[in-house]
Amino acid sequence: KRVEASHLLSTHIPRIIICSVAGFSRNFPSIEFTQKNKYEIRVGDDLDPDLLIEQLAQLAYLQVQRVEEVGEFCIRGSIVDLWTPGEKTPSRIEIFGDAVDKIRSFRPSNQRSFQTLDKVTILPSREFVWPYKSQLESAVEKFNSAILHQKVMGVSRSNLLEDLKAN
């Protein structure tokens, strides 16, 4: 929700923002973060599915068999389904050859398309994403050394490292 709110703040003029004190005091993704990490796909754009998979992984999307929640995507042949923060329903991108042929909204309950779109704006699925894989690897290595120094071992250490890798 915070990624969605950051995007809305960059694209709309808010009149009133209502939130709890706890919500206000939490880290909030900056508008710059959201703008820098968003990715737009339009009908007619050239699209390399392998590059798209890499970009979705970079934005912390989870690859699944069937999209049912925000932050998930799946690939079925020349069709890419994804659910980006800020959208009430997931989007289906149909690729013909090397170009985006259609973009439609669909209902996750029955997987049926119901609305044609001109574009989809893909936002990061989390409030933090690693800009480069090398940064993640370096951070994991440093973090691992630090927790080993503190004698964190076993399942606890593994869980912490997996959480770090998953953003």
Side-chain angles (χ1 to χ4, degrees):
K1 292 288 183 186
R2 287 185 289 279
V3 171
E4 175 185 355
S6 177
H7 176 66
L8 290 174
L9 286 170
S10 70
T11 58
H12 296 78
I13 299 172
R15 300 198 190 288
I16 298 173
I17 299 173
I18 300 172
C19 70
S20 67
V21 173
F24 184 73
S25 63
R26 288 199 61 187
N27 277 344
F28 188 80
S30 69
I31 291 171
E32 293 79 23
F33 166 81
T34 307
Q35 290 299 312
K36 180 180 164 194
N37 289 292
K38 77 177 183 179
Y39 182 67
E40 285 191 353
I41 298 175
R42 297 178 183 276
V43 172
D45 284 353
D46 286 340
L47 185 65
D48 178 351
D50 293 332
L51 181 61
L52 178 60
I53 291 169
E54 188 177 309
Q55 288 171 321
L56 290 170
Q58 186 69 37
L59 295 175
Y61 281 74
L62 179 63
Q63 188 166 6
V64 296
Q65 295 295 318
R66 178 181 163 141
V67 172
E68 296 176 335
E69 295 183 21
V70 172
E72 295 179 339
F73 79 98
C74 75
I75 308 266
R76 291 185 324 276
S78 62
I79 296 174
V80 179
D81 290 346
L82 62 94
W83 199 340
T84 187
E87 296 297 329
K88 292 182 180 9
T89 58
S91 300
R92 177 166 289 146
I93 301 167
E94 296 179 28
I95 303 166
F96 185 74
D98 292 335
V100 175
D101 187 41
K102 295 178 189 168
I103 303 173
R104 296 186 280 182
S105 295
F106 70 93
R107 291 183 182 86
S109 58
N110 62 14
Q111 300 287 302
R112 293 187 189 262
S113 300
F114 67 91
Q115 180 183 12
T116 301
L117 306 170
D118 295 327
K119 69 174 182 166
V120 62
T121 301
I122 302 171
L123 300 174
S125 71
R126 300 234 167 55
E127 298 160 10
F128 176 80
V129 294
W130 294 103
Y132 304 102
K133 192 168 185 79
S134 61
Q135 287 180 313
L136 169 62
E137 291 164 358
S138 174
V140 168
E141 192 174 304
K142 278 182 166 179
F143 187 71
N144 189 33
S145 295
I147 60 176
L148 280 173
H149 182 71
Q150 296 174 18
K151 302 199 183 334
V152 177
M153 301 290 193
V155 175
S156 297
R157 181 173 146 263
S158 296
N159 288 343
L160 287 169
L161 291 171
E162 287 306 312
D163 286 347
L164 181 64
K165 290 176 188 175
N167 294 306

